[in-house]
Amino acid sequence: MRLNRSTDIGLRILMLGATRTDLLTVDELADSLAVARHHLAKVVQRLQHLGLLETVRGRHGGVRLAVGAGTASIGALVRELEGATEVVDCDGEPACPLSSGCRLRGALRRAQEAFYTTLDPITVGDLAAPPTRQVLLSLGRR
């Protein structure tokens, strides 16, 4: 299974946010995480909509981890960010000729759910704990 780029960026934003108490601008985040500003801004907006980031407008504005976001489940978060996608698209164009009698689709669904279930007990705070914390704290401060 492979995560979407925006899911990866979202997880990195939350990890970095979990180590900082100050406001981070979109430009600082983009630079620290080596991500295009435009793409990162879209992900920040989505995380804010999900209640995981707080945003402050204005000259001295920025973003920070929302209260309680450090305890958010990574499994639930990845499910939300990835959406209701399946590992394979059996109904695409052209539709798979095996779909009427195939057992692969169900097996892949179970494997995908096992992947998410493995991530369920892990929190944003867990991902930002040492030794990763030290690396996150050093980003953007060269």
Side-chain angles (χ1 to χ4, degrees):
M1 179 162 172
R2 185 180 183 108
L3 298 179
N4 291 324
R5 178 86 169 124
S6 56
T7 300
D8 173 42
I9 293 168
L11 293 173
R12 291 195 272 157
I13 290 168
L14 294 172
M15 289 169 63
L16 185 56
T19 65
R20 306 276 296 271
T21 57
D22 55 328
L23 290 173
L24 296 161
T25 67
V26 169
D27 289 330
E28 289 171 328
L29 284 168
D31 183 54
S32 296
L33 299 174
V35 174
R37 183 192 189 288
H38 177 72
H39 197 113
L40 187 128
K42 287 181 177 181
V43 177
V44 163
Q45 186 178 37
R46 178 98 191 269
L47 293 173
Q48 189 235 351
H49 178 72
L50 293 173
L52 297 166
L53 289 180
E54 294 176 355
T55 58
V56 177
R57 292 181 175 260
R59 183 174 178 201
H60 300 289
V63 300
R64 66 176 153 239
L65 202 65
V67 175
T71 61
S73 163
I74 297 300
L77 180 58
V78 171
R79 278 182 190 92
E80 182 68 35
L81 294 174
E82 288 291 306
T85 59
E86 292 193 46
V87 178
V88 294
D89 182 14
C90 301
D91 301 323
E93 286 295 322
C96 178
L98 302 175
S99 62
S100 64
C102 183
R103 297 174 68 189
L104 179 60
R105 187 178 199 175
L108 290 173
R109 276 189 192 140
R110 289 188 300 280
Q112 183 178 27
E113 186 51 37
F115 172 78
Y116 292 141
T117 300
T118 301
L119 295 174
D120 282 339
I122 302 167
T123 67
V124 171
D126 293 336
L127 293 181
T132 306
R133 182 175 182 78
Q134 287 71 24
V135 175
L136 289 165
L137 288 169
S138 71
L139 293 178
R141 297 185 177 180
R142 295 182 180 105

